[in-house]
């Protein structure tokens, strides 16, 4: 939970997901788990990078504290998006969690090679999907220490 | 095949607490412990007395360590094409913004600070086990050797 001088402030999460159903489920699960999460959605890889680089209509986009990235995406796939994030000095410190239906060993290995912070597979069952989003919220947004915006931008 | 975790920690008390928390949650996890950075690299590279050491599925790494500190160990792990895929979690008393930023720049998988209270510490170790060893998909040993 992010605080500044004792006040809670919103945590920005970027969800890169092309399935409207999964977007909706993720939004609902975050709403139940943590009202202080501001969830932004990009529906393809090119849009995700434009958001992260504040290009086009994303000129005022916040820098996300956490990125949830699907692998199979239109325009530019998640592997390419991940490679771009982790090669970019301004972006690579943002924890990037792969969230995909793929359980293929090749995808898991490739994602860790590309420096994904962790790899999660989407459960098929609704309540398990919800539970996983809650685990992500609990682990990454309450337990893990994330780089502060100020510090990570200054370096 | 049992899950292998390497704990790099020089505080005997923290090692003991971590061992107990692992034992309580899942006795099938094999926790190996080394107490300085040089030993950690020997373990990971199967050198010296660690020639038969297992390849860990997860590394828990303290920052302030004797001989070679955790930042250097992290940099060596992430620069090594055989080791970089092993998820490495910093577990330290430091919550300095500079340490957090530096660790993410060195491509740490995740940064956690140790709570001062022992029950909170045990709780955090349980969270690590639950998240990293049951939810997260790790690369299998076979494909990462």
């Amino acid at each position: 939970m992010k605080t500044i001088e004792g006040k809670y402030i919103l945590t920005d999460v970027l969800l890169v997901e092309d399935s409207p159903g999964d977007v909706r489920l993720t939004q609902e699960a975050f709403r139940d788990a943590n009202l202080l999460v501001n969830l932004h959605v990009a529906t393809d890889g090119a849009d995700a990078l434009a958001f992260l680089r504040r290009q086009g209509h994303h000129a005022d986009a916040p820098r996300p504290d956490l990125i949830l990235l699907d692998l199979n995406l239109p325009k530019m796939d998640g592997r390419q998006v991940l490679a771009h994030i982790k090669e970019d000095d301004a972006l690579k410190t943002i924890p990037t969690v792969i969230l995909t239906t793929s359980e293929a060993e090749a995808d898991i290995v490739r994602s860790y090679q590309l420096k994904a912070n962790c790899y999660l597979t989407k459960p098929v069952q609704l309540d398990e999907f919800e539970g996983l989003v809650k685990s992500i919220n609990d682990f990454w947004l309450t337990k893990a220490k994330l780089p502060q915006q100020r510090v990570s931008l200054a370096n | 095949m049992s899950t292998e975790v390497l704990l790099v920690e020089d505080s005997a008390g923290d090692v003991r607490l971590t061992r107990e928390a692992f034992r309580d949650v899942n006795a099938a996890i094999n926790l190996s412990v080394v107490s300085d950075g040089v030993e950690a690299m020997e373990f990971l590279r199967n050198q010296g007395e660690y020639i038969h050491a297992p390849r860990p599925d997860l590394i828990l790494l303290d920052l302030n360590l004797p001989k070679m500190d955790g930042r250097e160990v992290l940099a060596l792990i992430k620069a090594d094409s055989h080791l970089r895929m092993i998820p490495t979690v910093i577990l330290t008393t430091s919550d300095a913004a500079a340490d957090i930023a530096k660790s993410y720049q060195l491509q740490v998988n995740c940064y956690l600070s140790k709570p001062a209270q022992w029950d909170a510490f045990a709780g955090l170790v349980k969270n690590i086990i639950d998240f990293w060893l049951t939810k997260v998909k790790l690369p299998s040993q076979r494909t990462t050797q």
Side-chain angles (χ1 to χ4, degrees), chain A residues 86 92-93 95 105 108-109 112-113 115-121 135 139-140 143-147 151 155, chain B residues 85 87 95 97 100-101 104-105 107-113 124 127-128 131-132 135-140 143:
Chain A
K86 294 302 184 183
K92 71 177 179 195
T93 58
E105 187 61 30
I108 298 172
V109 169
Y112 283 106
Q113 273 167 348
K115 299 163 182 170
N117 291 74
C118 83
Y119 189 106
L120 298 165
T121 54
S135 298
F139 192 80
W140 282 100
K143 302 289 188 309
K145 301 282 176 187
L146 304 176
V151 174
N155 278 278
Chain B
M85 274 189 290
D95 54 13
I100 298 171
Y104 283 103
Q105 272 162 1
Q107 309 285 315
V108 75
N109 292 78
C110 167
Y111 188 106
L112 298 165
S113 61
L124 183 66
N127 289 139
I128 294 170
F131 191 78
W132 284 96
K135 303 281 193 312
V136 167
K137 302 283 175 191
L138 302 170
S140 78
T143 48

Side-chain angles (χ1 to χ4, degrees), chain A residues 29-42:
Chain A
F30 268 112
R31 207 171 298 144
D32 289 345
N34 186 347
L35 287 169
L36 295 169
V37 168
N38 195 9
L39 189 71
H40 308 269
V41 180

Side-chain angles (χ1 to χ4, degrees), chain A residues 53-114:
Chain A
R53 293 177 172 160
R54 301 190 177 113
Q55 291 162 342
H57 67 282
H58 294 300
D60 297 321
R63 177 186 166 88
D65 298 290
L66 181 72
I67 300 169
L68 303 179
L69 178 63
D70 193 10
L71 283 185
N72 298 316
L73 293 167
K75 292 190 193 167
M76 181 192 290
D77 91 350
R79 298 156 195 86
Q80 283 174 277
V81 175
L82 177 61
H84 281 293
I85 292 170
K86 294 302 184 183
E87 279 163 9
D88 184 327
D89 283 336
L91 300 176
K92 71 177 179 195
T93 58
I94 304 173
T96 304
V97 171
I98 299 296
L99 185 58
T100 175
T101 49
S102 169
E103 293 188 10
E105 187 61 30
D107 280 331
I108 298 172
V109 169
R110 179 93 183 112
S111 297
Y112 283 106
Q113 273 167 348
L114 292 172

Side-chain angles (χ1 to χ4, degrees), chain A residues 21-32:
Chain A
D22 289 354
V23 168
R24 171 106 183 247
L25 273 181
T26 309
Q27 281 170 331
E28 286 173 0
F30 268 112
R31 207 171 298 144
D32 289 345

